Amino acid sequence: MNQSFTLGRIAGIKILMHWTFLLLLAWIVFSEVGKGSDTRTIILTVLFVLSIFLCVVLHELGHSLTAKKFGINTRKITLLPIGGVASLERMPEDPKQELLIAVAGPAVNVVIALILLFFVDFSQYQNAENLPTAISGNNFLMFLFSVNILLVVFNAIPAFPMDGGRILRSFLAMKMDRVRATNIAASLGKFFAIAFVIFGLFYNFFLIFIGIFVYFGAYAESTIVQHLELLKGFRVKDAMITNLTILSPNETVQDATRKLLAGSDTNFPVVENGQVLGILTHGQLIGALQEKRHELPVSEIMETTYEAFDINEKLTNVYSKSQRAKNFFSPVTENNQLVGVINRDNLNEFVMVRSAFNED
Ligand code: ZN
């Protein structure tokens, strides 16, 4: 199931909305109806939530466009009910670049708040008793102003991998090595994550989700940084699978099935005269079997868009790319000739071997 749908593109970056976002909107409408609000208030409330998320998209674009200055592309920005996520291709290793990318998001909200300052008449809110509780045309911009301030304050919490946590890591990484800096930031991130969950149980259940998100984010990123450190200095040729099963383009689905069952390989490079023509994935093979196309040559169903790596490619680059692919499997070539393949299991195996070496 596709969990997000595309809203459009800004500066070449796909903007996606997760389906649960619609649940949030539905929940808002239902709770407003439950409160007995009139149609105008309900529409304004929905518009308000959409405006918040527009500010969130601009915030994420702040990160993305700054990253682009350092040659890092963003694949997509996803809107979740708990906020936005910009999926950067990679994180910069230079702490100064990371600092600027992290600061750029909240800086956008500061700018939005400053602009709104011109349009909000704060004098009417000086008396605490006059503070409005429901959105109206009058106080819409004041609420939007407050939300932007809140976004800045919330993101300043050093809960890695939230912005504040990234800022903290970049400062730490200027003083110590990146792995240690990440471990410290991630530990603090997990601490805040647990605090969010506990606080959320009593006050605001969105914080529970944010806490879970931060916890696993901190865990995942510190693992990746540790792995990258272990892989430094190695090339694909050090980790690739050389004992592999290949298919020729005119072998049939039935031939491929026999090879699938005979060994432990599940994806196969399709090769002619040593050159890779495509990849037959496990999914494609099973799909063809379900459609009873046993006699079909594999060249007709193979994947022809894939990434191959040169034998001397840095293993850290391959690892970073493997993190983004769902079923990572790539041919490895030398002078355009297939010499091996690399997949996620093998990379993980290599990481385990390296960490065993490092332990003594
Ligand atoms: Zn941010």
Side-chain angles (χ1 to χ4, degrees):
M1 187 177 86
N2 203 348
Q3 299 185 320
S4 306
F5 46 93
T6 311
L7 294 180
R9 272 171 190 278
I10 303 178
I13 302 163
K14 225 196 244 177
I15 313 287
L16 299 170
M17 183 183 270
H18 197 263
W19 68 271
T20 48
F21 194 90
L22 296 177
L23 280 188
L24 172 74
L25 289 180
W27 176 69
I28 286 164
V29 172
F30 274 118
S31 57
E32 284 298 317
V33 171
K35 273 196 268 176
S37 306
D38 54 28
T39 321
R40 191 184 148 79
T41 310
I42 296 172
I43 293 172
L44 273 175
T45 310
V46 170
L47 275 181
F48 183 66
V49 173
L50 294 177
S51 312
I52 294 174
F53 278 86
L54 179 65
C55 294
V56 170
V57 170
L58 294 172
H59 170 116
E60 299 303 330
L61 278 173
H63 293 306
S64 303
L65 297 180
T66 312
K68 202 167 190 172
K69 288 232 177 313
F70 302 124
I72 300 168
N73 287 323
T74 303
R75 286 171 300 126
K76 57 183 183 189
I77 290 174
T78 312
L79 283 176
L80 301 163
I82 54 168
V85 180
S87 308
L88 302 193
E89 236 171 18
R90 61 186 168 85
M91 280 297 154
E93 291 213 6
D94 177 357
K96 278 188 220 110
Q97 293 185 358
E98 175 168 45
L99 177 64
L100 288 174
I101 294 172
V103 168
V108 169
N109 299 108
V110 171
V111 172
I112 296 173
L114 286 175
I115 293 170
L116 287 173
L117 215 47
F118 287 103
F119 300 96
V120 181
D121 173 19
F122 285 95
S123 61
Q124 51 177 314
Y125 306 116
Q126 272 170 1
N127 195 334
E129 286 157 29
N130 293 346
L131 281 180
T133 49
I135 299 272
S136 72
N138 256 337
N139 59 34
F140 192 92
L141 292 181
M142 186 277 288
F143 272 118
L144 201 57
F145 169 84
S146 315
V147 165
N148 276 282
I149 297 295
L150 206 70
L151 280 173
V152 175
V153 172
F154 189 66
N155 275 299
I157 299 173
F160 185 84
M162 280 171 43
D163 296 339
R166 289 198 184 284
I167 293 169
L168 173 72
R169 174 173 73 177
S170 63
F171 279 126
L172 291 173
M174 288 173 198
K175 303 264 177 259
M176 59 183 81
D177 76 77
R178 204 168 126 86
V179 177
R180 238 186 104 207
T182 307
N183 282 341
I184 294 172
S187 303
L188 195 61
K190 287 180 193 167
F191 167 80
F192 274 110
I194 293 166
F196 286 166
V197 171
I198 294 170
F199 205 75
L201 286 173
F202 294 103
Y203 298 103
N204 185 330
F205 71 83
F206 277 104
L207 271 178
I208 299 175
F209 294 112
I210 295 175
I212 295 170
F213 196 76
V214 167
Y215 191 92
F216 287 104
Y219 173 78
E221 277 214 32
S222 65
T223 308
I224 290 173
V225 170
Q226 280 167 26
H227 287 180
L228 285 174
E229 199 56 32
L230 286 167
L231 297 178
K232 249 186 198 158
F234 291 98
R235 308 275 164 180
V236 183
K237 61 180 170 201
D238 300 313
M240 70 184 182
I241 301 169
T242 49
N243 199 350
L244 56 137
T245 314
I246 57 170
L247 293 170
S248 66
N250 41 27
E251 277 188 281
T252 62
V253 167
Q254 194 157 15
D255 298 328
T257 310
R258 230 173 271 134
K259 289 186 175 175
L260 175 77
L261 295 173
S264 57
D265 293 350
T266 51
N267 298 303
F268 305 94
V270 180
V271 183
E272 192 170 49
N273 302 325
Q275 287 202 355
V276 185
L277 303 178
I279 290 169
L280 184 71
T281 66
H282 188 252
Q284 286 165 331
L285 181 52
I286 299 299
L289 282 175
Q290 279 167 345
E291 289 169 21
K292 311 252 180 296
R293 303 165 84 182
H294 299 88
E295 297 307 321
L296 204 68
V298 293
S299 59
E300 286 190 26
I301 52 168
M302 68 185 183
E303 187 67 63
T304 49
T305 49
Y306 58 88
E307 185 164 23
F309 293 104
D310 183 80
I311 192 166
N312 286 315
E313 178 76 34
K314 283 182 189 159
L315 209 46
T316 47
N317 289 349
V318 178
Y319 181 85
S320 300
K321 284 189 175 155
S322 80
Q323 292 297 314
R324 297 192 294 269
K326 226 181 227 161
N327 298 308
F328 179 72
F329 176 85
S330 275
V332 181
T333 58
E334 187 175 27
N335 304 322
N336 265 328
Q337 297 280 305
L338 179 76
V339 286
V341 292
I342 187 106
N343 63 19
R344 184 172 290 132
D345 285 347
N346 221 55
L347 277 170
N348 289 338
E349 208 68 70
F350 191 79
V351 166
M352 268 203 272
V353 171
R354 291 316 308 166
S355 64
F357 265 113
N358 276 16
E359 260 161 31
D360 45 54

